[in-house]
Amino acid sequence: MGKVKSQHSMLRRSGSSIGALMVREMSSNYGKAPGGYIWAILEPVAGIALMTILFSFVFRSPPLGAHFALFYASGVLPFSCYRDISSKIGKSISFSTKLLSYPAVTLVDAILARLVLNVLTQCLVAILVLGGIFLFSDVQTVVNFRWIFLAFLSVFSVSLGIGVMNTWLFNRFPVWEQIWNIFNRPMFLLSSVFYLFESTPEPFRSFLWFNPLVHSVGLMRRGLYPTYEGSFVSLTYVFGVSLVLTAFGLAMLKGHQIDT
């Protein structure tokens, strides 16, 4: 009984720490900006809308469906989630260095706080973008929310895994942050954001299959396009990679002294 109470007390303290860290991040990142946290949502929405308009002039006919805005959103929303969440989690140590010196605040709390806050932010961004497309465009489609849910769950998992790994790597090897930024730049082109994975010629298609984001985008398009099969998608691969990266990253963080 005492053990159960102790675990409950630990969970409650952890929940309080996570909530406090989320409030601190909102205040630190958005408290001084006009509009505060609202700008964190409107900025990516406006960016996606602008890019959609620009790409629509270049690609008159989308590779799938009749509306380029919906096709582009099906690719850019998962990619934006990955880019934002993995980057924020990767910098958990540097962002919360002073707070990590307190016994009540753990590194896992800092990681979960950034994960939860940015997942909620990206969900709001997706609702606004897709809601705007369906509201202001003559889009005729049947949405399968099961696939959309799996698409976001998969990209959240991948982002967590990569973010946790980078949390350790950024702290252990500071130069890795610059190296990672270089390697990460082509990801927009390698994630089938504005083209179909099936249209990629071999041997590049086989290479792209190992990019987990390609699978998340495929799941998203399954949810938005009833006729799209996306037979290449492997949930086992995506969640397997996410689990391995997360577990290995946490093991490395636990096994090495974090300089706070």
Side-chain angles (χ1 to χ4, degrees), residues 93-94 96-102 107 171 257-260:
I93 292 178
S94 60
S96 304
T97 298
K98 294 181 179 179
L99 292 177
L100 290 174
S101 61
Y102 294 97
L107 181 56
N171 184 78
Q257 181 67 33
I258 301 301
D259 184 13
T260 58

Side-chain angles (χ1 to χ4, degrees), residues 174-233:
V175 71
W176 174 249
E177 186 169 356
Q178 285 71 39
I179 296 173
W180 174 253
N181 288 334
I182 294 173
F183 280 118
N184 204 36
R185 284 174 185 171
M187 284 297 289
F188 183 82
L189 299 175
L190 300 176
S191 300
S192 67
V193 172
F194 54 88
Y195 59 88
L196 289 176
F197 170 80
E198 293 86 346
S199 66
T200 310
E202 292 286 7
F204 301 107
R205 188 191 308 172
S206 297
F207 169 75
L208 288 179
W209 188 90
F210 290 97
N211 179 359
L213 293 181
V214 170
H215 298 259
S216 298
V217 171
L219 287 167
M220 189 72 173
R221 286 173 178 157
R222 272 190 187 181
L224 294 174
Y225 297 95
T227 59
Y228 182 69
E229 295 182 4
S231 57
F232 66 90
V233 173

